[in-house]
Amino acid sequence: MKVLVIGAAGMIGRKLLDQVAKTPEILGAPVQALTLVDVIEPTAPAALAGIATCQAVDLSTAGAAEALISDRPDLIFNFAAVVSGEAEADFDKGYRVNLDGGRALLEAIRAEGLTAPYRPRLIFASSVAVFGAPFPEKIGDEFFTTPLTSYGTQKAIIELLIADYSRRGILDGLSIRLPTICVRPGKPNAAASGFFSNIIREPLVGLPAVLPVDDSVRHWFASPRAAVGFFTHAATLDLDQVGPRRSLMMPGLSATVAEQIAALEEVAGPEAVALIRREPDPVIQGIVAGWPCDFDPKRAVELGFTAETNFADIIRIHVEDELNGKIGG
């Protein structure tokens, strides 16, 4: 099987590849060739280096998608995106990368299929940002998409295109609507949701963190470990079970910032909580206010997708996976 990972240098892409390196059969068939691309050249895990080709590619540039599809990958993961806060701040860049790049990929697949039969599986990283207020107490699978950000709009458009291209037999696609992934390793990024990770990640290593919203803000979370599980499960799922609605809200847990902080104290003690500094940011508050905060992802659960149910467990996963089990500076 040939596998193409777009956005392979990002957090989920890297962790997915690490899992494939540890458990080669996790994608359902032996991986014979692996193409890894991102705007900066990604690095393959050592165990996969012999079958991997790594390239620096901007999917939205002319001819980039066609070149990637010319090798006819059987399985494609598309993680590439300008994140929420940046997409809101830079309108042109957000639409170029998140919409034009995604559409170029779909069209390259369609063009390749016109030369000879070709129908790859495409797994797309979408987001809860496809939903917009006002919300019911819990958002079910039938709730409509009315995004209130450019990022959410871009994700929703690609979701619709994937469903239509799948309906027409051009590809076999699935859009994975991710919760906010927390705790994200590394440094803060431009995502408006970044503070949800910052207020946990930095205090765990003895560093201060800024909280720009009120403690009562509620959101929908899953760990990076769960996120990798979503994509590996999607790679092997019988998509006939999914039917024509090719977008699935992933399971997760709903928690307030106050509950996050309480879980941090449970895992790391009051000295970690004392490192959180409250600095209200009206821009971030406005963006977050339009996001959904609780779901009933019945379809995904019935299809076998799983995630954490306790925020302290999410923190413990971060400590185990990123800090070698150690807390403190």
Side-chain angles (χ1 to χ4, degrees), residues 253-266:
L253 68 90
S254 180
T256 64
V257 169
E259 289 166 340
Q260 282 189 273
I261 294 172
L264 176 64
E265 184 167 5
E266 176 185 337

Side-chain angles (χ1 to χ4, degrees), residues 1 3 5 12-34 36 45-49 51 75 77 79 228-229 231-233 235:
M1 177 171 66
V3 179
V5 183
I12 296 178
R14 294 195 311 271
K15 286 185 172 291
L16 173 71
L17 292 167
D18 287 342
Q19 191 61 50
V20 173
K22 293 174 185 174
T23 317
E25 67 276 11
I26 201 166
L27 297 182
V31 179
Q32 298 160 330
L34 186 62
L36 311 179
L48 301 174
I51 61 169
L75 174 62
F77 295 99
F79 301 120
V228 170
F231 287 97
T232 56
H233 186 60

Side-chain angles (χ1 to χ4, degrees), residues 107-225:
E107 278 297 285
I109 293 170
R110 185 172 74 91
E112 186 66 27
L114 293 175
T115 64
Y118 175 56
R119 192 184 185 211
R121 175 166 297 205
L122 170 64
I123 311 299
F124 171 62
S126 189
S127 167
V128 295
V130 300
F131 300 106
F135 302 117
E137 185 174 341
K138 277 184 179 285
I139 295 175
D141 291 318
E142 309 306 320
F143 193 70
F144 48 81
T145 55
T146 51
L148 295 178
T149 63
S150 294
Y151 175 76
T153 300
Q154 293 146 15
K155 291 290 188 180
I157 293 170
I158 296 296
E159 283 190 3
L160 288 171
L161 291 173
I162 286 173
D164 193 42
Y165 281 54
S166 296
R167 178 184 65 84
R168 298 181 69 98
I170 296 167
L171 51 82
D172 204 13
L174 185 64
S175 296
I176 298 295
R177 291 171 175 166
L178 289 170
T180 285
I181 302 304
C182 187
V183 179
R184 297 183 70 93
K187 297 180 180 180
N189 62 20
S193 60
F195 70 89
F196 288 119
S197 285
N198 301 349
I199 63 170
I200 305 297
R201 183 185 57 239
E202 270 65 39
L204 283 172
V205 294
L207 296 175
V210 171
L211 174 60
V213 303
D214 189 80
D215 287 30
S216 63
V217 168
R218 179 176 290 278
H219 202 54
W220 185 247
F221 300 101
S223 73
R225 190 185 292 179

